Amino acid sequence: MEEHFGTDMTDEEYDALDELLTRTTPKLTSIPGVFAAQRALLNGLDTIAANYIQTRAEATHKSPAQIIGELVRKEIAASV
């Protein structure tokens, strides 16, 4: 069977592709539990800090770890 992904697929081909993707969920990253690790990082902070970091992360489309890194670098630069 020739594999192609376009509008010319038959219903059977769509069903086969759906079944394949259902059985073999693709990994988004090679790092296991990346979202769990970010949640654990925020859980280690007080509520105000965690909410601030999460809000900044969502507003800037960055990860909480990136926001924390920026804050640390800013603090280091200010102390030099």
Side-chain angles (χ1 to χ4, degrees):
M1 177 171 130
E2 180 182 334
E3 292 185 17
H4 51 83
F5 304 98
T7 57
D8 55 346
M9 291 176 69
T10 66
D11 287 340
E12 292 80 18
E13 290 171 323
Y14 276 114
D15 290 341
L17 179 60
D18 179 57
E19 179 66 24
L20 173 67
L21 293 176
T22 300
R23 284 186 283 113
T24 57
T25 305
K27 291 187 182 249
L28 299 177
T29 179
S30 61
I31 303 169
V34 67
F35 295 116
Q38 288 183 9
R39 176 54 45 203
L41 176 68
L42 292 176
N43 287 341
L45 301 173
D46 63 74
T47 304
I48 293 172
N51 287 340
Y52 174 80
I53 291 168
Q54 187 65 40
T55 301
R56 287 274 308 270
E58 290 172 4
T60 59
H61 305 288
K62 296 179 181 178
S63 71
Q66 288 173 309
I67 299 300
I68 292 169
E70 290 173 359
L71 293 170
V72 169
R73 284 188 291 282
K74 183 189 275 186
E75 185 67 26
I76 291 170
S79 67
V80 174

